[in-house]
Amino acid sequence: MTVLDKRMAALLAVVGGVVLLLGSRGTAEFSAHMAMDISQRLPFGSLFARVYMAEGMDTVTFRPGSVVAMRALGLFGSPLDGSLGFLKTLLIVPWLVAAYAWGRRRLGEIGGAVVALAPLLVPAGLFNAWHLGEWDLLGATFLLGADELLLRGRERRGVLLAGAALYVAALLLKDSIAVATLLMLVLASLRDLRDGRGFGTPPQLLLV
């Protein structure tokens, strides 16, 4: 680890600590209560069914991974206290690690820090980090992790399987993440065909 790596790690720790502290204060708002309630009432047999989100949202969604995550989160408390907010916000830790590693490989230490911190410095990213029903940041963590594993493990079956598992986890986490993942895989496969590699090598995400 270089001196710059240590400085960037300290910066990530400070920003992450502030976001974590703020995320553990107060109670969840209405839509978080509704999402938690739906996830707790949904039978496991209906896990892969479409879920109707009523009361202001009026939409149908497909998020089996999110339902499992919220059911697990509900084992530790209620949206009425700050404990769930703290646990949910803890997910920024794997994001910061994965995003910094991914960005550092391609953009250097400072670029890695920018990739990791950018979502936490805008309202939409903070909303996703704190809201009990939003899991996009976790999905992004899965995608970056999958990209790294597939990049490093072309000749190692275990690493490839772990990367594929992360892709599947991202697909099941949220419908919008699934669409983005499939589009990137299709584009990466077309790139491999263009470069004469065919479909024999694992497609890489077109993130650079």
Side-chain angles (χ1 to χ4, degrees):
M1 178 179 284
T2 66
V3 174
L4 191 53
D5 272 320
K6 294 179 180 178
R7 291 176 179 174
M8 293 301 102
L11 176 62
L12 297 181
V14 170
V15 175
V18 171
V19 173
L20 184 60
L21 177 64
L22 294 175
S24 62
R25 299 173 62 87
T27 59
E29 48 87 43
F30 169 74
S31 64
H33 284 267
M34 184 180 68
M36 288 291 292
D37 182 62
I38 291 174
S39 69
Q40 299 303 316
R41 289 189 289 107
L42 189 69
F44 272 114
S46 303
L47 191 61
F48 289 92
R50 294 185 301 168
V51 178
Y52 177 61
M53 305 288 287
E55 301 183 43
M57 295 187 180
D58 191 29
T59 186
V60 175
T61 184
F62 177 76
R63 304 180 180 185
S66 295
V67 171
V68 171
M70 283 188 285
R71 290 189 73 143
L73 199 60
L75 296 175
F76 297 95
S78 162
L80 295 175
D81 58 60
S83 61
L84 292 191
F86 174 81
L87 291 174
K88 172 61 165 56
T89 311
L90 270 178
L91 292 176
I92 67 173
V93 175
W95 161 255
L96 289 172
V97 173
Y100 180 75
W102 186 93
R104 185 186 185 281
R105 173 187 287 270
R106 295 156 177 81
L107 304 169
E109 293 90 340
I110 295 177
V114 171
V115 171
L117 292 177
L120 303 181
L121 299 178
V122 295
L126 290 173
F127 173 79
N128 200 276
W130 291 332
H131 195 285
L132 299 179
E134 297 295 331
W135 301 86
D136 300 80
L137 206 60
L138 181 61
T141 304
F142 287 160
L143 292 180
L144 292 187
D147 190 53
E148 280 293 297
L149 290 174
L150 294 182
L151 182 65
R152 296 181 181 185
R154 287 180 180 270
E155 306 301 328
R156 299 167 61 187
R157 179 173 298 180
V159 177
L160 292 179
L161 288 176
L166 287 179
Y167 269 130
V168 173
L171 286 169
L172 295 178
L173 194 62
K174 189 176 178 182
D175 37 16
S176 59
I177 297 175
V179 172
T181 304
L182 289 174
L183 286 174
M184 284 188 279
L185 288 173
V186 168
L187 291 173
S189 297
L190 291 175
R191 181 198 60 188
D192 284 348
L193 282 177
R194 180 200 64 189
D195 294 342
R197 294 196 294 265
F199 290 102
T201 57
Q204 303 300 308
L205 293 180
L206 295 181
L207 296 175
V208 291

